[in-house]
Amino acid sequence: MNRTFHIVDEVSKNVNAYKVMTTKIEYHCDSEKDAKQIQKNITKVMTKNLDDVALAKITYDYHAADRIVEVVIDEHVKTSEDLKF
């Protein structure tokens, strides 16, 4: 993940725009219990970070036949550089 942030910093260098970053994670679950735990964890994260203006949304999609959970996290990333508009 740190490598991704480094690449984003390189791409954003000398650019005066805020970023909307999307992170997609696929969890290959051994059981439905794991898939439900991921859903509970997302609820905890959302509740705990209600005041975090950078967090735009989290989506959760469970593909039961394949036992795959897709989680997509969108966040608005503004830095002091981005606020020079």
Side-chain angles (χ1 to χ4, degrees):
M1 188 71 99
N2 287 338
R3 183 177 174 172
T4 301
F5 290 123
H6 177 71
I7 292 169
V8 169
D9 288 341
E10 293 280 323
V11 171
S12 302
K13 196 171 194 169
N14 299 318
V15 173
N16 190 22
Y18 82 88
K19 301 171 277 301
V20 176
M21 294 185 62
T22 300
T23 304
K24 180 180 176 184
I25 309 156
E26 282 188 6
Y27 295 93
H28 297 258
C29 299
D30 290 334
S31 69
E32 189 172 330
K33 179 183 174 189
D34 289 332
K36 287 181 180 181
Q37 185 62 48
I38 292 169
Q39 186 177 27
K40 287 179 185 177
N41 292 345
I42 290 170
T43 302
K44 286 180 186 177
V45 167
M46 292 296 293
T47 304
K48 189 169 110 178
N49 296 288
L50 280 175
D51 296 332
D52 186 357
V53 294
L55 184 61
K57 71 177 177 179
I58 298 178
T59 58
Y60 167 95
D61 193 14
Y62 179 49
H63 304 277
D66 299 323
R67 292 184 303 204
I68 295 175
V69 175
E70 289 181 4
V71 176
V72 179
I73 303 168
D74 289 336
E75 73 182 300
H76 298 172
V77 181
K78 295 183 181 183
T79 64
S80 57
E81 286 274 319
D82 301 326
L83 300 175
K84 292 181 181 176
F85 287 102

